[in-house]
Amino acid sequence: AEKSPLFLLLNNIDGPGLRNGKAQAILARLAEIQHIHLVASLDHANMPLLWSHNELARFSWIWEDCTNFCNYTEESSFANSQILQNILGGIGSGSDTTGSVGAMFASLRQVASSLTQNARDIFRMIVEYQLETPFQDGKGAISGIAMEDLYWRCRDAFLTSNETTLKAQLTEFRDHKLIKIKKGPDGTEFIFIPMDTDNLQKLLQNIDTFQ
């Protein structure tokens, strides 16, 4: 039977999460499928320079200049998404060790929606701890909360029953680079969020929207 056409609408094909060869190659492969039609917007005028001849052939774009010269906040004012408004409102205005606080917030929203309430509460606990004791090594670097300390705090709050379960609950956050784990000189594992204090405070204020 003939397959029904599938239209994929992609806002900002040159966004931070898609600006790499692997993502663009996958999108080009999708666009090449006969019944799939990709409609996309791009922000950077030189974005096509990143595509190879093969990718351009697979995309087979029909170009339309839809430049509106509007500010992004006005362009997106119709959206009711709290996380979008936070990002556009300058939530990433401070320094950021990962390079894109906005991307982290978007990633957190995506991850948190699929997690249990206990896992979200554990993440909140890490945020609160880091705000209480942001710098611990005397050099301004974030040391984070020790895994054992986090475990006992979570156990006292009935969020986990053993350290193995705790690590399993943290897996999604770590895989999406929302938290990092490093070892101290004595082998102790420390967990921290790669975000400055100002943005951590904004995160805590809006953390209930990430569900």
Side-chain angles (χ1 to χ4, degrees):
E2 185 178 350
K3 295 182 179 179
S4 300
L6 174 64
F7 292 87
L8 300 179
L9 306 181
L10 181 57
N11 180 36
N12 197 4
I13 195 173
D14 55 340
L18 297 174
R19 202 178 301 151
N20 60 77
K22 183 177 181 180
Q24 294 298 323
I26 292 173
L27 290 172
R29 290 284 187 180
L30 285 174
E32 190 180 27
I33 299 174
Q34 187 173 6
H35 71 284
I36 294 180
H37 307 280
L38 180 62
V39 181
S41 66
L42 58 85
D43 288 339
H44 201 290
N46 293 325
M47 172 61 189
L49 296 177
L50 297 180
W51 289 319
S52 66
H53 290 296
N54 288 336
E55 287 171 343
L56 283 171
R58 291 190 174 109
F59 280 123
S60 188
W61 295 114
I62 297 176
W63 297 91
E64 292 288 344
D65 185 356
C66 301
T67 307
N68 54 29
F69 300 105
C70 293
N71 187 288
Y72 288 125
T73 54
E74 181 177 349
E75 189 177 36
S76 305
S77 60
F78 65 90
N80 293 321
S81 167
Q82 182 65 44
I83 178 61
L84 179 60
Q85 296 305 323
N86 286 341
I87 294 172
L88 295 175
I91 206 164
S93 57
S95 60
D96 171 27
T97 56
T98 65
S100 177
V101 173
M104 285 187 64
F105 273 71
S107 182
L108 177 58
R109 182 180 179 87
Q110 179 183 4
V111 173
S113 63
S114 63
L115 295 178
T116 64
Q117 184 61 49
N118 280 6
R120 289 194 290 267
D121 288 343
I122 290 172
F123 187 80
R124 181 198 296 270
M125 189 174 291
I126 298 172
V127 174
E128 292 175 341
Y129 178 89
Q130 195 161 312
L131 284 173
E132 293 170 0
T133 53
F135 304 118
Q136 294 186 340
D137 64 358
K139 299 179 181 179
I142 299 173
S143 294
I145 183 172
M147 179 69 75
E148 184 177 3
D149 187 6
L150 178 62
Y151 163 64
W152 285 109
R153 288 170 181 250
C154 291
R155 183 167 179 173
D156 290 343
F158 301 102
L159 297 177
T160 188
S161 57
N162 56 69
E163 193 168 323
T164 301
T165 302
L166 172 61
K167 289 183 177 181
Q169 289 175 313
L170 294 173
T171 297
E172 283 284 350
F173 293 120
R174 183 177 57 190
D175 289 348
H176 286 79
K177 297 181 174 58
L178 296 171
I179 64 171
K180 291 188 176 182
I181 299 177
K182 65 178 182 180
K183 289 188 177 182
D186 60 352
T188 300
E189 289 184 317
F190 291 92
I191 304 165
F192 70 97
I193 300 170
M195 190 179 291
D196 61 39
T197 301
D198 289 342
N199 284 309
L200 274 176
Q201 290 174 339
K202 293 175 183 177
L203 170 59
L204 185 61
Q205 292 169 2
N206 296 279
I207 200 167
D208 290 331
T209 67
F210 299 104
Q211 296 184 22

